[in-house]
Amino acid sequence: MTNVHQFDVVVVGAGGAGLMAGLYASRGAKTAVISKLYPTRSHTGAAQGGISAAFGNTEEDHPEWHTYDSVKGSDYLGDQDAIEFMCNEAIDAVLELEHMGLPFDRTPEGRILQRNFGGHTNNITGKPVRRACHAADRTGHMILQTLYQQCLKNKVNFFDEYQALDLLLVNGKAAGVVAVELATGELHTFHAKAVIFATGGHGRIFEVTSNAYAYTGDGAAIVFRRGLPLEDMEFFQFHPTGIYKLGILITEGVRGEGGVLINGKGERFMPKYAPHVKDLASRDVVSRAIYTEIREGRGVNGQNYVYLDARPDSVMKYAAADGRTNSDGSPYTITAEELLKKLPDIVDFNRVYLGIDPMTQMMPIQPTAHYTMGGIPTNKFGEVVIDEKNTVYPGLYAAGECACVSIHGANRLGTNSLLDLVVFGKHAGLRAAEYANQADFANLPDDPTAEARAQFDGLRNGSGKENAFDISREMKKIMFDDVGIYRNEKGMKSAIEKIHEWQERFKHVRISDTGRIFNTELLNAWELGNMLEVSEVIAECALNRTESRGGHSREDFPNRDDVNWLKHTLALKKNGKIEISYKPVIITKYQPKERVY
Amino acid sequence: MQVTLKVFRYNPEVDKKGHYETYQLDVEETERILDLLELVKGHHDGTLSFRRSCAHGICGSDAMRINGRNMLACKTLVRDVGDKITVEPLLGLKIIKDLIVDMEPFFDNYKKILPYFINESPLPADGKERLQSPEQRARFDETTKCILCAACTTSCPSFWGSDDYLGPAALVTAHRFIFDSRDESASQRLKIISETSGLARCHTAYNCTMACPRDIHITKAIGELKLATLTGKVD
């Protein structure tokens, strides 16, 4: 057998979670990080607004408030023990990033500067609290750079541009990963005692998305095909403010700095939907509000968009109306120069893609598919758990967006994703190294690359009647329209039928590139297979859940139903069919109540 | 609108040398060059190969030459370049396939300048952050924006003409750490970039600054590094 590598721990994915896992695992065990991209290309780098920690650097704040806000934000579907764990770890996690050199913006006293973000509140007054630590509007970029740099410093082994294709499970234990080296087309087997998936999300199944091309659900699809469950896949977050049509993210930090949403009639509409925190309600609430405005004919020029207004005069006008103050109690003011300094990339994106200047013009925005709340079920140590009793699967770990701890439940609060990947990436890395040091290597299967080869052969030898690009386009449109922000039985049933049709058509795809070197056509087609796989799971789970909660909004079941649905969904593939079971939500301090912002 | 897209093609498994293919496309003027490449790949020729990921100018995957200038394909719109568009791989790095070049020498240069925060002193007694004033933070703000796309380095005549010049991108990262008040290895890095393959190879052509999709004033940053090597000061 050629191309077999042996490591104690193999991490798949080199975004924030993968790098953090790699950094921690490599301190205690021989570790490799494999990634289909160069690490600095990972999607963590696109995160903009901040990472939350209840420092209280400019005003009172507490980890308990952060915990409650996240529980409420999750629409009570998040596991409260894990949320509390994350929010308590947040302060040390952000300090660790600072100690690694991350260039956070600073207060006049030299401490980490914090800004407002949706759903983060002072639990006594109910007003927004400054909890999001940031580096301008490129916080994710700085986290990604800093962690990659620290991995280089610590001599972590990287296998850049290696696409993971399969997970090897032998006798109920993780045994390794199969990957293709893009530069040569050769298959490699990574024999490991512990495998950590940190493969990100799958927003590319939707037509309008803020997500990178790389976000095709590879990790979730691989695990699912290997007979392990996925949790809460019906919950997908639509971020309220994507650039119209393009979906490019406009950070919630714009509203954190005082920007407001304006409909086609020139009205600020969020006070109708969230009387207390208005434009800083949680994302599911704001996205639905925008859609409701559009549906009721108050989009701009009858189109599917509204405006985000961050012009300094508007910001100050609405801040005065809201009684917003600086931390010293003085009225909130801001200049174009200050906004430009706080949000340089947002200004840049608007100029490049729309030809507008957000200091003098309003930004046309629409909700954009943004974040995968569901994923590979884990406990708070990053260990993959496979049933309603949370039985740990030996040697298998997941962290970051591909995992479902569940921290985010039915709706993630802004800034909690960066926190998630730092906290749980670290713990997955620690646990995996600890496990690897007392475990033996499982024997590899006789032919470890068989399944990966079979999948590639299928794409090389299809009848050629179908084109992957066309299937992909149809999928994105239908998933966005029928399994998107608003869902109903009729739309989802029809989407599921179509998904089955696409899966059939997919079997007839034949790629035209017969080469080995950087065969990106083969990889893109393989990724489409993953997207079809996760689309089916999402649609089936969404059809099954007959209530509305967080990011899952059923027109035919508009209310949350705690009696029947305060539980996690587990989807499993059995004999080619999706079977759904449930596991309880862990509730410690906070009993579910009505969610008002 | 109708555009003519001319793309450099090279398949190492078939071709002895590169050639150009031309595609006639019906597109919107607001589409990205990356959208055009995706369209060609999806409907005209699936073998066309290029790197891409975020599609909005933040991951640095798709730097290439567009009408002769280094740009990100995802951050350049049709209306920016007109209806006759030529797309070619970056110069100065080995072409692997079509628009994909060998990035290893680029990252090797990056790794030479100790591209990581170094501070071995004890943490503050309260265990909290190392203090840094907004002014100290602003001192290196611009060079933290680098996305390592290589547009600058591969636009530099000195890089084309040399086997071992560190190149502007590595120097930008050196600047990011050297001017960070919290970092303790400025002198070590200044020594590295003072060697013959470093600052001395910069002849102030300004190509790097023109090419940077993040609007970093690279020539200015390199100038500050040159001054620092002369004065030994990094304030």
Side-chain angles (χ1 to χ4, degrees), chain A residues 265-279:
Chain A
K265 294 171 80 179
E267 302 158 339
R268 182 190 191 192
F269 56 86
M270 276 314 297
K272 270 190 299 189
Y273 301 91
H276 302 293
V277 293
K278 307 182 179 85
D279 299 86

Side-chain angles (χ1 to χ4, degrees), chain B residues 77-97:
Chain B
L77 308 187
V78 171
R79 69 173 174 223
D80 300 332
V81 289
D83 60 0
K84 296 212 169 20
I85 306 164
T86 302
V87 179
E88 299 162 292
L90 295 172
L91 289 173
L93 294 170
K94 189 178 158 238
I95 298 166
I96 296 178
K97 182 183 181 185

Side-chain angles (χ1 to χ4, degrees), chain B residues 33-63:
Chain B
I33 304 307
L34 178 61
D35 298 324
L36 275 51
L37 294 173
E38 288 287 334
L39 189 63
V40 169
K41 189 172 179 63
H43 275 162
H44 298 260
D45 185 352
T47 68
L48 176 64
S49 296
F50 46 92
R51 292 189 179 101
R52 86 285 195 258
S53 192
C54 78
H56 66 286
I58 200 72
C59 81
S61 296
D62 63 352

Side-chain angles (χ1 to χ4, degrees), chain A residues 38 41 98-99 101 103 106 111-112 138 141 149 161 213 348 353 467 470 513 516-518 520, chain B residues 13 41-43 51 53 59 74-75 97 104 115 128-130 132 137 141 144 146 148 176 182:
Chain A
Y38 275 101
R41 314 301 187 213
E98 198 283 332
H99 297 157
R106 300 290 170 152
R111 300 215 171 269
I112 295 170
R138 55 177 184 280
H141 165 78
Q149 291 161 350
E161 298 192 318
Y213 274 102
D348 186 40
Y353 296 108
N467 175 308
D470 291 336
D513 193 337
R516 293 171 295 113
I517 296 171
F518 273 101
T520 53
Chain B
E13 296 174 73
K41 189 172 179 63
H43 275 162
R51 292 189 179 101
S53 192
C59 81
C74 64
K75 217 180 166 184
K97 182 183 181 185
E104 288 302 316
K128 291 193 178 171
E129 62 270 60
R130 293 190 172 95
Q132 182 169 54
R137 168 64 181 78
D141 184 64
T144 66
C146 175
L148 298 170
R176 176 255 172 273
R182 303 166 299 166

